[in-house]
Amino acid sequence: MITFRLSNSVYAYVGYLLLMVYFLWPGRFASLYDYIEGENIYDQLIRKTTKNISLMRNGLRCDYSEVIEENLSLYRPPYTEDIINNNVRIGGEYYPEDCLPSFSTAIIIPYRQRERQLNQFLIYMHNYLRRQRIHYRIFVIEQYDPKPFNRAKLFNIGAMIAVGFDYPCLVLHDVDLMPMNLGHLYACSRKPRHMCSSLDVFRYNLPYRGLFGGAVAIESSVYLNINGMSNMFSGWGGEDDDLYGRLQNKQIEICRFSPEYSQYSMLKHRKETPNKDRVAFLKNGKQRYHTDGLNSLVYKQVGFKLHNLFTHVLVET
């Protein structure tokens, strides 16, 4: 019988190769979830706009094929440093004037005391979104009171305001997330979409299939149908899993685009205080889906202002 003995140097070499794979191929587990390939993205998008855009009759429809096919990597200077050729309308709204957009999207940002991140977000996102040639508006919903941050409730508030402005598509978006590739159109798909499934802080891997937060695209009608998000998750954690549970309860499937379209970068930030009741809320969440959400939303609006780059809604929760 012939036996082989491996030297320490061989073990070291194998270990080195494994480390190289770990660091140089971070998205190696991306195929563990289903996703829509790049060539199928446009067919999955819902072409719907606000009434004022729909009434525009002059001009040709905007073409999105080049944006999707090229999928340019945009997260770099000068796009991250200053707004280029600023033609954003008051309130943070934009639509191209040389063609008719096929999509109208409200981007809703829950916010409190992150001025630096908000500035970075607005600069980059306006550069990013205008190149997609869609109609969009950025709503910043700021929690004014000193209570624990209630991200989900702020999303609910922003959603109701956006629906009042006739936006058919909502993107629920954290202020610290930056899309890296231009081909991921900020429009709603046939199924609610988890947009940031390839996130740098997770080494571009999806931690678990039920993750449905950070940046989410969902039709306004679907958000209304599931009664929005829970208003009970003050502090960090749980509200995204509860949102996923609400979709499952209505037998609504989610989707994702392929990893090369879904790469996001997270800005450094201070963590919020965890919600000590989040596990209990998740366990009994199904009992509250019909009573805790948009139909139980109570808040006080203390300010509403159209800034140059965003619509600012100041609220007490």
Side-chain angles (χ1 to χ4, degrees):
M1 181 177 179
I2 300 175
T3 59
F4 295 92
R5 291 185 178 181
L6 299 179
S7 65
N8 290 336
S9 61
V10 173
Y11 283 117
Y13 180 71
V14 172
Y16 173 76
L17 287 178
L18 291 174
L19 284 174
M20 290 294 289
V21 170
Y22 182 81
F23 286 108
L24 298 181
W25 189 18
R28 64 204 176 283
F29 298 129
S31 60
L32 294 180
Y33 60 89
D34 296 327
Y35 52 76
I36 298 167
E37 296 285 0
E39 61 266 25
N40 298 322
I41 284 178
Y42 186 74
D43 290 337
Q44 293 296 318
L45 298 177
I46 298 172
R47 289 173 279 284
K48 194 172 183 180
T49 60
T50 57
K51 291 177 182 177
N52 63 316
I53 297 294
S54 300
L55 292 173
M56 294 181 180
R57 300 300 181 188
N58 55 326
L60 299 174
R61 282 285 173 188
C62 299
D63 181 21
Y64 300 96
S65 58
E66 186 175 319
V67 173
I68 296 174
E69 289 171 9
E70 291 187 354
N71 194 29
L72 294 177
S73 178
L74 211 68
Y75 190 54
R76 53 186 167 82
Y79 307 106
T80 56
E81 295 177 337
D82 201 2
I83 295 182
I84 301 169
N85 300 324
N86 189 354
N87 56 352
V88 179
R89 295 172 178 269
I90 191 74
E93 182 181 16
Y94 172 82
Y95 55 83
E97 296 185 351
D98 59 342
C99 63
L100 297 176
S102 296
F103 312 102
S104 289
T105 303
I107 294 111
I108 300 172
I109 313 298
Y111 173 79
R112 183 168 68 181
Q113 296 177 343
R114 290 192 181 180
E115 291 84 358
R116 182 177 178 181
Q117 289 184 348
L118 180 60
N119 184 60
Q120 291 176 278
F121 180 89
L122 292 171
I123 288 173
Y124 177 65
M125 290 303 293
H126 279 300
N127 287 331
Y128 177 94
L129 291 168
R130 284 180 299 154
R131 290 192 58 147
Q132 291 193 338
R133 304 176 73 74
I134 65 170
H135 170 221
Y136 71 87
R137 184 169 182 167
I138 296 178
F139 294 85
V140 175
I141 316 300
E142 180 177 1
Q143 184 171 330
Y144 182 67
D145 57 69
K147 292 187 249 181
F149 191 62
N150 195 325
R151 175 174 169 270
K153 191 170 188 178
L154 297 179
F155 276 139
N156 282 343
I157 295 169
M160 295 307 293
I161 292 171
V163 168
F165 279 88
D166 193 39
Y167 280 91
C169 175
L170 310 174
V171 170
L172 313 179
H173 208 300
D174 288 343
V175 73
D176 54 17
L177 291 183
M178 304 292 199
M180 301 173 69
N181 303 306
L182 192 62
H184 196 141
L185 286 186
Y186 269 53
C188 281
S189 39
R190 297 177 186 177
K191 299 176 182 178
R193 185 169 79 256
H194 182 220
M195 303 176 73
C196 54
S197 55
S198 188
L199 186 58
D200 59 355
V201 295
F202 297 144
R203 298 195 51 75
Y204 301 101
N205 297 310
L206 185 68
Y208 58 98
R209 293 191 182 190
L211 181 60
F212 195 66
V216 165
I218 184 170
E219 285 187 274
S220 299
S221 58
V222 175
Y223 198 75
L224 293 173
N225 182 36
I226 64 171
N227 197 24
M229 298 179 71
S230 170
N231 297 310
M232 298 182 65
F233 288 86
S234 296
W236 178 86
E239 68 274 15
D240 293 329
D241 293 330
D242 185 84
L243 172 60
Y244 183 65
R246 288 169 183 247
L247 291 168
Q248 286 188 309
N249 186 59
K250 292 279 188 176
Q251 298 181 335
I252 300 172
E253 297 180 349
I254 68 168
C255 70
R256 296 181 174 94
F257 289 166
S258 63
E260 59 265 30
Y261 285 86
S262 305
Q263 292 181 342
Y264 278 68
S265 181
M266 179 180 285
L267 301 175
K268 293 181 179 179
H269 64 281
R270 177 180 56 84
K271 298 291 185 182
E272 293 286 341
T273 302
N275 181 342
K276 66 181 188 312
D277 298 318
R278 64 189 185 278
V279 175
F281 287 160
L282 283 172
K283 284 183 178 179
N284 61 29
K286 191 172 183 178
Q287 303 170 21
R288 296 179 286 98
Y289 291 161
H290 300 295
T291 58
D292 169 27
L294 296 176
N295 61 4
S296 64
L297 183 61
V298 177
Y299 69 97
K300 179 181 179 182
Q301 182 174 301
V302 295
F304 185 95
K305 185 175 181 180
L306 303 181
H307 291 271
N308 290 334
L309 299 180
F310 63 98
T311 296
H312 184 202
V313 185
L314 196 62
V315 299
E316 292 181 352
T317 59

